[in-house]
């Protein structure tokens, strides 16, 4: 609930520490000159700054750029930046890529402000007095880059601890601002993930040890103002950089294209989710594919079941009957996800993300057991009485409790054992039938209050997602709670909720995450390569996997594509072994590829190995099986069942095409940031890139370029979009011919 509503119940982190450690702070100093803000910060902490910036879109860009430029110009200042996922506007690596990207970038990223330090990181031109450390890279952004030296490997839930250990003395992030009844509050918006814990922790160290610390909030009116835990008091920050006349646009990710393989992974994944359960989605096109199939299951259940039967899911993957479902969502789902993506908003708007959870243990227990529902009736009251949550003769404390939960209307009053409502009164004795009848008529609310359908720690997504968040009503906002990543990602006690209530809320949890590769023993590779290079980071993956093993009805589910193209060569993502893992084999559970579901938990190795081989691409199955047999992990006489020997892209294409005729499995179910022409060009350019990865491929492309035919009128229009209508040199002429030929073939 918002800070403004209840100061002594579900409180912000700052309020928690204020009440428990006697920390008192004045309201933030408001400034509209960023250079004066930098002066003030330097005056407070000195010339050695360890700047903590939040993950992704929550970075205070105006302030951090000004501080960076000050340190760049003054070598006496040392600046150490600690952060994760420093977003960059896409940049082309070739002239051809630039012809495609430049018009899109100028349109889609108009008004987006960039991080100055990232430009120098990318160019390897950071000055000696400035260092940038990250605990999570944008996937693949720093392969073969010097920034590999500065990666910090940590679980998301340990990030606050590590930042404190590293000496962070300045924390800065974007906030939103609002005034209600002349009271100003701020929202942590997209990044309540670490701020709710690190700001009060550093405040406590400042008081206890004299540690220097400054917190900065940079107001941006484009940020959605999130309520509940994300809404904090005006003294949470030391300084506020006021909103500018025209605030910079938020970095928005283009909508993900969903391939046929992605759709199959998403469909299999959707069959493992029980109505009334809990959902962590993940990120990327596999996440989008899952949310799409959940929408299909709920909105067109007949079609969903036809596909379910075509895939022979019940016959081939018995785990679905045990832990999954194929019906509509009558009870709804609850979202508990470190990253709140746009998929959750689509599920909410479709009436799927509707299962509300509550911070009251008894209430949550009664809801879990279907003893009560969120609609209030006289049974709600008598059940609470039966469980001694309230007294037979209602007290003032009982009335406050019932009103907070929405069981009693806020206008009801109690005086000398008498209830009053609308100028009528009745004895407050629940043992009397007449009193219960009067209460039912005059006192009861309509629905329980304080229910949350989504707990998230940070968000990022397409423009339409931010627009939807900004358009939410107060009733909608009350159900979405951006909170601490330590609340979401594990079950340990936290001041915002203890282990007991977390576990009760997260019934039938399905924690989905994506991976790059999996080995036949069930180990998962998600964050890096066997040579030590980091692709992205561990983030919260381990947290959710470990959490799933702590709850009796939860499952950890890893999604990955069965193959990939590396260095121009098709390779399996299901491997016999690999020199690195993110999730060790003892934490194996469920793995999904586009060819099905492998149930690995509690299974002996020979079953684990064969289950994973059964969902690998059939072009790699013989080799994988032989490797397993040679190692003595699979019986010498084992044969792959015939039902799993046709795992080929052609089979997926045939099935998807069959249902695409009825509007199912679209590439962009919620629209695209790219135009129709750009989507055609993207497909052709990607194909050319894949063909040219090998020396032989490059030679074949050269021949194609020399033998290309005259482009059609439609292709001429596409070439015009690429500024290749009138090529000016040999490279452009070759690019025109190759692209023209590729477009003809598509």
């Amino acid at each position: 609930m918002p800070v403004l509503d209840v100061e002594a119940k579900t409180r912000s982190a700052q309020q928690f520490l204020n009440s428990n450690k006697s920390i008192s702070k004045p309201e933030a100093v408001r400034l509209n000159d960023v250079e004066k803000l930098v002066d003030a910060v330097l005056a407070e902490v000195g010339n050695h700054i360890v700047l903590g910036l939040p993950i992704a879109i929550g970075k205070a860009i105006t302030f951090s750029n000004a501080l960076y430029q000050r340190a760049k110009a003054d070598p006496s200042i040392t600046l150490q930046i600690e952060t994760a996922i420093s977003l960059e506007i896409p940049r082309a690596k070739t002239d051809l890529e630039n012809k495609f990207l430049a018009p899109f970038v100028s349109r889609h990223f108009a008004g987006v402000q960039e991080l100055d330090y990232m430009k120098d990181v990318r160019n390897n031109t950071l000055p000696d007095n400035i260092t940038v450390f990250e605990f999570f890279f944008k996937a693949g952004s720093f392969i073969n880059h010097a920034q590999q030296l500065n990666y910090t490997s940590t679980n998301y839930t340990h990030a606050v601890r590590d930042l404190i250990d590293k000496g962070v003395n300045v924390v800065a992030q974007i906030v939103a601002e609002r005034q209600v009844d002349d009271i100003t509050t701020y929202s942590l918006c997209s990044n309540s993930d670490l701020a709710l814990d690190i700001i009060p922790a550093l405040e406590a160290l400042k008081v206890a040890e004299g540690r220097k610390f400054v917190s900065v909030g940079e107001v941006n009116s484009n940020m959605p103002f999130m309520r509940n835990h994300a809404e904090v008091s005006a003294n949470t920050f030391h300084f506020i950089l006021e909103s500018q006349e025209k605030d910079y646009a938020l970095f928005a990710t283009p909508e993900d294209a969903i391939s046929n393989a992605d759709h199959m992974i998403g469909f299999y994944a959707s069959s493992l989710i029980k109505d009334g359960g809990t959902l962590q989605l993940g990120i990327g096109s596999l996440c989008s594919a899952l949310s799409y199939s959940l929408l299909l299951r709920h909105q067109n259940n007949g079609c969903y079941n036809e596909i379910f039967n075509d895939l022979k899911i019940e016959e081939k993957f018995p785990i679905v009957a045990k832990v999954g479902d194929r019906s509509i969502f009558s009870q709804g789902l609850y979202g508990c996800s470190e990253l709140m993506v746009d998929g959750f908003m689509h599920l909410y708007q479709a009436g799927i993300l509707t299962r509300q959870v509550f911070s009251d243990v008894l209430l949550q227990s009664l809801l879990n057991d279907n003893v009560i529902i969120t609609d209030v009736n006289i049974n709600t009251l008598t059940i609470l009485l039966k469980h001694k949550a309230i007294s037979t003769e209602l007290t003032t404390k009982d009335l406050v409790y019932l009103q907070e939960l929405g069981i009693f209307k806020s206008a009801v009053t109690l005086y000398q054992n008498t209830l009053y409502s609308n100028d009528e009164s009745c004895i407050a004795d629940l043992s009397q039938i007449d009193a219960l009848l009067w209460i039912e008529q005059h006192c009861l609310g309509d629905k329980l209050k304080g229910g949350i359908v989504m707990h998230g720690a940070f968000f990022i997504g397409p423009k339409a997602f931010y627009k939807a968040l900004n358009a939410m009503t107060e009733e909608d906002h009350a159900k979405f709670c951006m909170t601490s990543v330590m609340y979401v990602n594990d079950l340990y006690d936290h001041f915002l909720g203890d282990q007991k209530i977390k576990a009760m809320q997260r019934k039938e949890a399905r924690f989905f995450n994506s991976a790059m590769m999996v080995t036949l023993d069930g180990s998962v590779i998600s964050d890096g390569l066997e040579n030590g290079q980091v692709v992205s980071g561990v983030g919260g993956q381990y947290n959710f996997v470990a959490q799933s093993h702590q709850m009796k009805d939860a499952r950890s589910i890893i999604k990955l594509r069965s193959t990939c193209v590396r260095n121009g060569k098709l390779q399996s993502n299901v491997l016999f072994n690999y020199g690195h893992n993110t999730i060790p084999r003892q934490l194996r559970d469920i793995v999904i590829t586009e060819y099905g579901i492998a149930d690995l938990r509690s299974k002996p190795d020979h079953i684990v190995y064969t289950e994973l081989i059964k969902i690998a691409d059939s072009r790699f199955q013989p080799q994988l099986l032989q490797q397993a047999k040679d190692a003595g992990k699979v019986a010498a006489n084992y044969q792959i069942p015939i039902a799993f020997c046709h795992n080929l892209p052609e089979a997926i294409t045939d099935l998807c095409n069959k249902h695409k005729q009825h509007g199912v499995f679209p590439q962009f179910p919620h629209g695209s940031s790219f135009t129709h022409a750009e989507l055609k060009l993207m497909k052709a350019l990607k194909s050319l890139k894949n063909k040219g990865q090998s020396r032989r491929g490059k030679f074949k492309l050269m021949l194609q370029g020399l033998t290309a035919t005259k482009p059609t009128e439609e292709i001429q229009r596409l070439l015009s979009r690429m500024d290749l209508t009138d090529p000016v040199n040999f490279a452009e002429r070759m690019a025109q011919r190759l692209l023209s030929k590729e477009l003809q073939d598509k």
Side-chain angles (χ1 to χ4, degrees):
M1 56 188 70
V3 171
L4 290 174
D5 292 348
V6 179
E7 292 190 1
K9 197 164 177 65
T10 305
R11 293 165 292 186
S12 76
Q14 185 63 54
Q15 290 171 311
F16 175 80
L17 281 179
N18 280 350
S19 62
N20 287 277
K21 297 188 182 295
S22 300
I23 296 175
S24 180
K25 287 175 60 181
E27 286 197 9
V29 175
R30 299 172 62 90
L31 298 167
N32 56 20
D33 185 327
V34 70
E35 294 300 330
K36 289 182 178 178
L37 175 56
V38 172
D39 290 337
V41 169
L42 289 170
E44 285 286 331
V45 299
N47 278 18
H48 176 64
I49 295 184
V50 184
L51 172 65
L53 296 174
I55 195 168
I57 65 170
K59 291 177 174 58
I61 300 178
T62 302
F63 169 69
S64 58
N65 280 354
L67 183 61
Y68 176 75
Q69 293 299 338
R70 183 74 66 88
K72 193 174 178 180
D74 183 355
S76 70
I77 299 172
T78 59
L79 175 60
Q80 178 180 325
I81 298 173
E82 298 283 347
T83 188
I85 308 185
S86 295
L87 296 165
E88 301 172 87
I89 292 176
R91 282 177 171 77
K93 295 179 181 177
T94 67
D95 288 341
L96 188 60
E97 282 184 10
N98 187 58
K99 288 180 181 297
F100 174 80
L101 269 181
F104 170 75
V105 165
S106 64
R107 179 181 78 240
H108 184 77
F109 293 99
V112 172
Q113 192 168 334
E114 295 201 78
L115 292 159
D116 289 348
Y117 71 79
M118 278 306 295
K119 297 174 186 176
D120 288 347
V121 165
R122 186 59 62 193
N123 296 325
N124 291 313
T125 56
L126 276 180
D128 293 339
N129 60 321
I130 301 176
T131 315
V132 178
F133 297 93
E134 297 200 62
F135 70 85
F136 202 101
F137 293 150
K138 186 169 71 72
S141 61
F142 288 117
I143 295 295
N144 298 318
H145 190 280
Q147 194 63 4
Q148 289 283 331
L149 296 168
N150 295 328
Y151 169 73
T152 302
S153 185
T154 190
N155 291 321
Y156 205 169
T157 52
H158 297 155
V160 166
R161 177 204 67 190
D162 293 347
L163 290 170
I164 292 173
D165 285 350
K166 286 186 166 199
V168 164
N169 56 15
V170 179
V171 170
Q173 75 170 79
I174 293 180
V175 296
E177 178 186 54
R178 74 167 176 167
Q179 280 195 334
V180 178
D181 297 330
D182 295 325
I183 297 175
T184 299
T185 57
Y186 297 99
S187 174
L188 301 172
C189 309
S190 63
N191 287 90
S192 56
D193 52 344
L194 303 183
L196 283 172
D197 294 284
I198 195 169
I199 292 177
L202 288 172
E203 289 289 1
L205 289 171
K206 186 175 183 179
V207 172
E209 301 176 5
R211 181 165 173 168
K212 294 179 180 180
F213 169 59
V214 167
S215 54
V216 175
E218 180 174 311
V219 178
N220 188 314
S221 60
N222 293 316
M223 264 290 186
F225 192 107
M226 307 305 291
R227 279 65 162 173
N228 292 306
H229 296 169
E231 186 172 6
V232 296
S233 57
N235 69 344
T236 297
F237 296 94
H238 296 100
F239 296 101
I240 290 291
L241 181 61
E242 294 183 325
S243 182
Q244 305 303 300
E245 188 174 322
K246 184 178 181 182
D247 291 320
Y248 52 84
L250 303 180
F251 190 106
T253 57
E255 292 80 0
D256 294 301
I258 307 176
S259 68
N260 287 342
D262 293 348
H263 269 305
M264 285 297 94
I265 294 169
F267 192 90
Y268 283 119
S270 70
S271 70
L272 293 168
I273 299 170
K274 275 195 173 180
D275 185 21
T278 302
L279 182 63
Q280 133 86 9
L281 270 180
I283 191 171
S285 61
L286 295 182
C287 156
S288 300
L290 171 53
S291 59
Y292 170 78
S293 281
L294 289 173
L295 291 167
L296 180 66
R297 172 175 152 183
H298 186 67
Q299 297 173 328
N300 193 346
N301 194 249
C303 178
Y304 182 90
N305 277 287
E306 183 182 342
I307 300 167
F308 187 97
N309 293 331
D310 281 352
L311 290 169
K312 298 182 172 59
I313 290 179
E314 205 162 48
E315 174 187 331
K316 295 170 69 176
F317 309 109
I319 183 63
V320 171
K322 181 181 178 182
V323 307
D325 202 351
R326 59 195 291 187
S327 61
I328 65 169
F329 294 95
S330 56
Q331 298 176 61
L333 297 176
Y334 155 63
C336 183
S337 187
E338 67 177 19
L339 173 59
M340 184 172 76
V341 290
D342 60 321
F344 282 110
M345 187 57 62
H346 296 308
L347 295 178
Y348 179 70
Q349 293 168 341
I352 297 173
L353 191 71
T354 57
R355 183 172 78 83
Q356 298 181 49
V357 300
F358 295 81
S359 58
D360 185 273
V361 171
L362 175 60
L363 198 68
Q364 190 62 55
S365 175
L366 295 172
L367 287 164
N368 285 2
D369 294 338
N370 297 315
V371 176
I372 63 171
I373 58 176
T374 54
D375 289 334
V376 173
N377 54 45
I378 198 64
N379 178 62
T380 314
L381 188 67
T382 57
I383 290 292
L384 290 178
L385 177 62
K386 178 182 176 181
H387 285 82
K388 300 181 180 180
I390 52 176
S391 309
T392 303
E393 293 186 2
L394 292 176
T395 66
T396 301
K397 182 180 178 181
D398 293 331
L399 178 62
V400 171
Y401 175 70
L402 292 171
Q403 288 176 327
E404 283 179 353
L405 295 179
I407 297 169
F408 270 21
K409 296 174 183 175
S410 59
V412 176
T413 57
L414 175 66
Y415 181 71
Q416 294 185 347
N417 201 35
T418 301
L419 288 168
Y420 295 88
S421 178
N422 296 326
D423 297 326
E424 297 191 50
S425 62
C426 179
I427 189 169
D429 187 348
L430 301 185
S431 66
Q432 298 190 23
I433 297 297
D434 288 348
L436 288 175
L437 291 172
W438 186 87
I439 288 171
E440 183 176 32
Q441 183 178 358
H442 296 282
C443 297
L444 295 183
D446 296 323
K447 292 182 181 295
L448 295 176
K449 287 168 58 177
I452 300 294
V453 299
M454 175 82 224
H455 278 106
F458 79 105
F459 65 70
I460 184 173
K463 291 180 179 180
F465 177 45
Y466 302 150
K467 184 177 180 181
L469 290 176
N470 274 316
M472 286 202 300
T473 64
E474 287 299 319
E475 183 181 357
D476 294 330
H477 268 296
K479 297 175 184 175
F480 284 78
C481 184
M482 300 305 295
T483 187
S484 164
V485 74
M486 288 194 250
Y487 180 88
V488 173
N489 281 33
D490 65 34
L491 288 177
Y492 296 123
D493 289 350
H494 189 269
F495 72 86
L496 292 172
D498 62 22
Q499 181 166 330
K500 186 174 184 179
I501 193 62
K502 288 184 187 181
M504 292 175 70
Q505 291 172 345
R506 298 168 196 188
K507 68 172 188 172
E508 295 291 354
R510 301 294 179 262
F511 296 131
F512 289 94
N513 281 284
S514 299
M516 299 186 295
M517 295 167 278
V518 64
T519 56
L520 291 186
D521 65 0
S523 301
V524 174
I525 302 98
S526 305
D527 68 315
L529 307 178
E530 61 184 347
N531 66 0
Q533 288 201 340
V534 179
V535 175
S536 54
V538 177
Q541 186 166 115
Y542 171 80
N543 297 139
F544 282 107
V545 171
Q547 186 179 164
S548 72
H549 286 274
Q550 291 176 276
M551 297 187 290
K552 64 179 181 179
D553 58 2
R555 301 304 294 260
S556 165
I557 304 168
I558 298 294
K559 304 170 292 178
L560 76 156
R561 301 174 187 92
S562 69
T563 64
C564 67
V565 176
R566 295 190 192 99
N567 300 319
K569 182 182 179 182
L570 183 73
Q571 298 184 35
S572 177
N573 286 329
V574 181
L575 308 172
F576 174 69
N577 60 3
Y578 196 72
H580 169 77
N581 70 49
T582 312
I583 305 299
R585 64 182 180 176
Q586 67 267 27
L587 293 178
R588 59 199 182 196
D589 196 345
I590 293 174
V591 174
I592 298 176
T593 73
E594 64 267 36
Y595 298 116
I597 305 167
D599 177 23
L600 311 179
R601 197 175 77 179
S602 306
K603 303 295 192 299
D605 272 5
H606 77 96
I607 292 179
V608 171
Y609 277 65
T610 55
E611 286 297 293
L612 285 168
I613 291 171
K614 283 157 65 173
I615 63 168
D617 188 291
S618 290
R619 291 167 289 183
F620 299 95
Q621 286 176 327
Q623 179 187 352
L624 290 168
L625 181 58
Q626 190 58 53
Q627 288 175 297
K629 288 181 177 180
D630 290 345
K633 303 303 292 187
V634 172
N637 63 350
Y638 175 83
Q639 297 295 320
I640 302 170
I642 191 68
F644 301 93
C645 291
H646 304 287
N647 294 349
L648 296 168
E650 294 80 9
I652 287 176
T653 299
D654 290 345
L655 184 138
C656 287
N657 285 346
K658 171 186 173 182
H659 294 283
K660 282 184 178 182
Q661 296 175 17
H662 306 291
V664 178
F665 299 140
Q667 186 181 25
F668 292 96
H670 304 296
S672 173
S673 301
F674 296 97
T675 66
H676 182 67
E678 286 169 344
L679 291 175
K680 282 189 171 183
L681 287 165
M682 280 175 64
K683 187 176 180 180
L685 290 167
K686 185 177 180 180
S687 179
L688 284 174
K689 184 176 181 180
N690 288 337
K691 288 178 180 178
Q693 285 187 346
S694 67
R695 184 176 296 179
R696 185 178 179 184
K698 286 186 175 81
F699 181 72
K700 288 178 71 174
L701 286 177
M702 286 287 290
L703 290 178
Q704 287 180 19
L706 294 172
T707 59
T709 58
K710 185 177 180 180
T712 64
E713 192 172 317
E714 181 188 3
I715 291 176
Q716 282 282 17
R717 287 194 293 270
L718 294 173
L719 292 174
S720 177
R721 162 60 182 80
M722 293 288 291
D723 194 24
L724 285 174
T725 306
D726 299 305
V728 297
N729 53 40
F730 175 79
E732 287 196 357
R733 284 193 295 274
M734 185 60 71
Q736 182 203 55
R737 291 175 181 179
L738 285 173
L739 185 55
S740 179
K741 180 71 167 60
E742 196 64 35
L743 288 166
Q744 287 173 354
D745 294 341
K746 294 300 176 186

